[in-house]
């Protein structure tokens, strides 16, 4: 064996096999960004309702895999595990003690799909925006009525 091959062999024995984009894999629960279909942050997984976008993407990508953050309690992950099982999608609970990802759920394909928009906006935020718009519309109607009376 050449000296370079011996050094590579020893390096792998000491530090483990070389990983491509290790930081990206830690962040996306063991998969690469280019394979990701959709993502939920930890705070979104804690919410009581299941995001309908997740089920929609499971139907659209039936060969995908579900990765769940193992540092979260099972009571929050259970609803997504049941959803994955109902769509025959394999799931994996990923536990990385060295890195705590902000992501709680990653739905990914086994090959690159390079989807641009993978993050879902919080449901609560969308409801607040709707309420603000309806209040603004109500306020404008009241002002118009007052101006018509004059």
């Amino acid at each position: 064996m050449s000296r370079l091959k011996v050094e590579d062999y020893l390096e792998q024995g000491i530090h483990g096999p070389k990983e491509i984009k290790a930081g990206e894999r830690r962040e996306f629960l063991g998969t690469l960004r280019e394979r990701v279909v959709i993502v939920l942050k930890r705070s979104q997984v804690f919410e009581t309702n299941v995001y309908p976008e997740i089920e929609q993407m499971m139907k659209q990508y039936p060969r995908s895999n579900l990765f769940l953050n193992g540092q979260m309690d099972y009571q929050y992950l259970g609803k997504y595990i049941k959803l994955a099982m109902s769509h025959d999608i394999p799931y994996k609970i990923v536990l990385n003690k060295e890195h705590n990802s902000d992501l709680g759920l990653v739905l990914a394909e086994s090959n690159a799909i390079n989807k641009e928009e993978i993050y879902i906006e919080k449901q609560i935020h969308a409801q607040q925006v709707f309420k603000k718009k309806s209040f603004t519309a109500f306020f404008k109607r009241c002002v118009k009525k007052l101006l018509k009376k004059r």
Side-chain angles (χ1 to χ4, degrees):
M1 275 205 249
S2 70
R3 182 164 174 78
L4 186 60
K5 288 182 182 179
V6 172
E7 286 178 9
D8 287 341
Y9 185 76
L10 289 173
E11 190 74 25
Q12 282 187 354
I14 294 170
H15 299 290
K18 292 182 181 179
E19 243 183 44
I20 299 171
K21 298 183 181 182
E24 191 174 297
R25 286 183 186 270
R26 281 191 298 272
E27 183 64 29
F28 289 100
L29 305 177
T31 191
L32 298 171
R33 163 67 175 87
E34 62 194 22
R35 297 177 180 176
V36 174
V37 175
I38 200 162
V39 166
L40 284 182
K41 294 188 177 185
R42 291 170 60 115
S43 60
Q44 292 173 302
V45 175
F46 286 138
E47 295 175 18
T48 55
N49 296 332
V50 172
Y51 277 75
E53 293 93 338
I54 300 295
E55 185 169 15
Q56 180 184 358
M57 289 298 150
M58 285 182 176
K59 290 177 183 176
Q60 190 173 343
Y61 295 92
R63 292 184 169 182
S64 60
N65 295 302
L66 183 67
F67 298 95
L68 300 161
N69 192 332
Q71 294 182 343
M72 298 177 66
D73 197 14
Y74 184 80
Q75 72 183 35
Y76 303 111
L77 302 177
K79 58 190 172 218
Y80 290 104
I81 291 172
K82 288 177 187 174
L83 185 64
M85 289 172 63
S86 69
H87 292 285
D88 293 326
I89 291 180
Y91 68 92
K92 184 185 282 188
I93 298 176
V94 180
L95 181 62
N96 187 347
K97 294 180 182 178
E98 297 152 9
H99 177 75
N100 190 7
S101 176
D102 290 337
L103 303 179
L105 176 148
V106 176
L107 186 67
E109 284 281 310
S110 56
N111 297 320
I113 58 170
N114 292 321
K115 191 172 175 198
E116 282 188 37
E117 199 60 39
I118 60 169
Y119 293 95
I120 298 176
E121 192 173 319
K122 279 192 172 188
Q123 289 177 345
I124 296 170
H125 179 68
Q127 291 172 353
Q128 288 174 348
V129 170
F130 179 72
K131 287 180 184 177
K132 286 180 185 177
K133 287 182 181 178
S134 63
F135 177 75
T136 305
F138 173 74
F139 184 71
K140 285 180 180 178
R141 283 183 296 202
C142 291
V143 170
K144 283 182 182 179
K145 285 181 183 179
L146 287 174
L147 293 175
K148 283 184 181 180
K149 288 183 179 180
R150 288 186 174 184

